């Protein structure tokens, strides 16, 4: 039964606008950030380790693959990456990848002071980053991408999701 409901969710998801799919995924990322922040407040290394791993996995799938390898490529057909909004987002993605990596390293040695510093940096970059994508970049995409381009992006999303399930 759960397989069937998953299939139905997948079918419904593929019928949505790609930016709506990404906005839904952003909600999940924000929930993960809240859990990570709670782990930091409680100095709960297990909770932090669990949530930074989930964040890293979701970030890789969502930001580095769905955004950079699918949506951004279509946006860059009419707005160049250099000096454009996708260029800013990619630069922030790179910074966040490093912060997540450094957070995991600090977690291995239980350096709570460093974890607090890096965690605050992750929050101060990722929350506004999501807001910029939701309120500005996705609006630009919705205004400029035609149905064919949206279908291309959605098809790439399906491939990324199915590769993630394997």
């Amino acid at each position: 039964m759960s397989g069937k409901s998953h299939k139905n969710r997948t079918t419904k998801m593929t019928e949505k606008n790609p930016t709506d799919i990404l906005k839904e995924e952003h909600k999940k990322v924000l929930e993960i950030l809240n859990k990570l922040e709670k782990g930091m407040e409680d100095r709960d290394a297990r909770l932090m380790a669990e949530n930074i791993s989930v964040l890293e996995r979701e970030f890789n799938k969502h930001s580095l693959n769905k955004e950079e390898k699918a949506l951004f490529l279509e946006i860059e057909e009419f707005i160049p990456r250099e000096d454009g909004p996708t260029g800013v987002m990619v630069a922030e993605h790179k910074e966040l990848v490093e912060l997540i990596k450094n957070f995991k390293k600090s977690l291995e040695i239980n350096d709570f002071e460093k974890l607090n510093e890096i965690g605050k940096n992750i929050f101060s970059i990722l929350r506004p980053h999501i807001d910029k994508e939701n309120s500005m970049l996705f609006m630009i995409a919705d205004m400029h991408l035609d149905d064919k381009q949206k279908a291309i992006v959605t098809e790439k999303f399906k491939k990324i999701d199915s590769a993630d399930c394997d």
Side-chain angles (χ1 to χ4, degrees):
M1 185 164 142
S2 66
K4 186 176 181 182
S5 65
H6 173 71
K7 186 176 182 180
N8 288 340
R9 274 196 315 268
T10 304
T11 303
K12 287 178 184 173
M13 180 187 79
T14 58
E15 296 167 358
K16 290 183 181 175
N17 184 356
T19 57
D20 291 336
I21 294 167
L22 293 174
K23 285 177 185 176
E24 285 179 22
E25 292 179 2
H26 278 164
K27 288 178 187 173
K28 292 178 192 170
V29 170
L30 291 170
E31 289 172 15
I32 296 164
L33 285 179
N34 291 339
K35 290 177 185 174
L36 180 62
E37 195 167 37
K38 174 79 171 117
M40 288 170 55
E41 288 168 5
D42 296 346
R43 294 175 65 103
D44 184 336
R46 185 199 57 78
L47 189 61
M48 285 188 281
E50 180 183 308
N51 285 291
I52 197 69
S53 292
V54 173
L55 178 63
E56 181 177 45
R57 194 169 49 250
E58 286 301 312
F59 191 78
N60 288 340
K61 180 174 84 167
H62 172 89
S63 298
L64 304 182
N65 285 295
K66 287 185 175 180
E67 289 179 356
E68 289 188 19
K69 295 179 182 173
L71 181 66
F72 289 6
L73 295 179
E74 293 300 321
I75 292 172
E76 290 162 0
E77 291 292 318
F78 55 89
I79 299 175
R81 178 173 287 191
E82 190 175 318
D83 298 326
T86 57
V88 173
M89 297 298 112
V90 169
E92 289 181 2
H93 289 170
K94 287 179 181 170
E95 187 174 3
L96 285 160
V97 166
E98 284 304 308
L99 287 168
I100 291 168
K101 194 182 304 179
N102 290 334
F103 189 93
K104 290 177 81 173
K105 285 178 186 172
S106 296
L107 197 54
E108 288 173 12
I109 58 171
N110 289 318
D111 185 342
F112 287 99
E113 188 175 319
K114 194 75 172 160
L115 286 165
N116 193 44
E117 176 189 326
I118 296 168
K120 284 180 179 180
N121 283 333
I122 291 171
F123 305 140
S124 71
I125 295 169
L126 190 49
R127 286 180 174 134
H129 175 91
I130 288 171
D131 188 54
K132 285 185 279 192
E133 287 181 340
N134 285 348
S135 63
M136 291 187 294
L137 187 65
F138 296 166
M139 184 180 69
I140 291 168
D142 290 339
M143 287 172 42
H144 293 285
L145 297 181
D146 61 27
D147 289 341
K148 183 180 176 188
Q149 288 172 301
K150 289 177 183 177
I152 289 168
V153 172
T154 302
E155 194 57 39
K156 288 180 180 180
F157 284 5
K158 282 192 236 177
K159 288 179 182 168
I160 291 164
D161 284 337
S162 65
D164 190 52
C165 293
D166 296 337

